[in-house]
Amino acid sequence: DQQVKQNSPSLSVQEGRISILNCDYTNSMFDYFLWYKKYPAEGPTFLISISSIKDKNEDGRFTVFLNKSAKHLSLHIVPSQPGDSAVYFCAASAQGGTASKLTFGTGTRLQVTL
Amino acid sequence: KAGVTQTPRYLIKTRGQQVTLSCSPISGHRSVSWYQQTPGQGLQFLFEYFSETQRNKGNFPGRFSGRQFSNSRSEMNVSTLELGDSALYLCASSWAGPAEQYFGPGTRLTVT
């Protein structure tokens, strides 16, 4: 039972354009969400997070949007750069992010082309 | 500040053997979590230790176990290895809880 789903295994975007990565969840107990980026042969790197009390969080080129009623979140990268090419994982946590377990999606591979 | 380190980086074992993986968290971090990553499955939570106590556990068989030492370093043990245990095992640390965990590079385990 995949409680966090990333239905697009891959995405290709031109440099300078917007990249939109999507994530859906089914567990209504999740109230804290995170995005991680992973390069080959490296561990995931934390990018940005959002609490369920907010619907948007911004950090530089990265913005995460949360739609609680639809149980959907998205990561926007603007403008996309070649160095953004990586696998992006969405993760969710219950209990305001203080619970001791992250549930991850299966990842979306982003390719930013020149 | 040094990041999360994991040793060894690569390991090849035979079915039926056991293996121990090690993780050193970021200095000051007291929570250490372990994840298994396999193709198409994303990261699956194994367990989390906080102050030498297992605080949460995922849905893995008892062959998977772990412990944490007083210096927050953690080890993960897999006994009676199966071919399906071949995966990237990732360790992550955080100051108190799991949000914004910081991951190590992982240990690639191959079971033949």
Side-chain angles (χ1 to χ4, degrees):
Chain A
D1 176 31
Q2 195 71 27
Q3 297 185 58
V4 177
K5 300 177 186 178
Q6 294 177 257
N7 293 318
S8 298
S10 64
L11 175 69
S12 183
V13 172
Q14 214 167 17
E15 181 182 10
R17 309 292 286 265
I18 183 171
S19 294
I20 300 177
L21 296 96
N22 294 304
C23 177
D24 297 295
Y25 62 97
T26 56
N27 189 339
S28 56
M29 297 299 291
F30 289 146
D31 57 7
Y32 197 82
F33 305 89
L34 309 91
W35 284 94
Y36 283 83
K37 176 171 73 172
K38 187 179 186 300
Y39 293 119
E42 294 183 14
T45 302
F46 169 73
L47 267 178
I48 190 168
S49 60
I50 187 167
S51 164
S52 61
I53 62 173
K54 302 172 86 171
D55 54 20
K56 177 183 173 181
N57 190 25
E58 212 169 334
D59 184 1
R61 297 186 297 114
F62 302 91
T63 302
V64 56
F65 295 91
L66 175 62
N67 182 333
K68 289 184 291 293
S69 60
K71 292 191 175 70
H72 176 84
L73 64 155
S74 60
L75 174 68
H76 293 208
I77 306 173
V78 184
S80 300
Q81 299 174 354
D84 295 330
S85 296
V87 177
Y88 289 78
F89 291 97
C90 166
S93 173
Q95 299 171 21
T98 59
S100 56
K101 174 181 175 181
L102 289 179
T103 301
F104 282 83
T106 52
T108 296
R109 182 177 302 278
L110 173 65
Q111 180 74 36
V112 179
T113 59
L114 298 174
Chain B
K1 191 188 268 193
V4 178
T5 58
Q6 291 186 246
T7 56
R9 292 293 310 276
Y10 302 92
L11 206 48
I12 299 175
K13 288 286 188 179
T14 303
R15 199 169 53 178
Q17 288 186 314
Q18 75 162 15
V19 66
T20 300
L21 312 181
S22 181
C23 171
S24 293
I26 291 172
S27 177
H29 284 190
R30 296 168 63 190
S31 169
V32 174
S33 298
W34 288 88
Y35 295 85
Q36 180 196 65
Q37 185 185 11
T38 53
Q41 290 294 314
L43 281 75
Q44 305 284 317
F45 174 78
L46 280 153
F47 30 65
E48 185 237 4
Y49 285 86
F50 182 82
S51 294
E52 302 179 65
T53 300
Q54 187 180 85
R55 190 160 67 168
N56 208 335
K57 190 176 187 306
N59 299 321
F60 278 81
R63 299 186 295 107
F64 292 81
S65 63
R67 59 177 175 168
Q68 186 180 34
F69 301 95
S70 57
N71 61 357
S72 293
R73 190 177 70 85
S74 177
E75 286 182 348
M76 190 192 98
N77 185 275
V78 188
S79 62
T80 320
L81 284 165
E82 300 177 0
L83 295 178
D85 296 333
S86 294
L88 180 68
Y89 290 88
L90 291 158
C91 163
S93 75
S94 64
W95 186 73
E100 290 93 19
Q101 293 179 352
Y102 296 86
F103 283 81
T107 294
R108 171 74 62 185
L109 172 65
T110 302
V111 182
T112 62

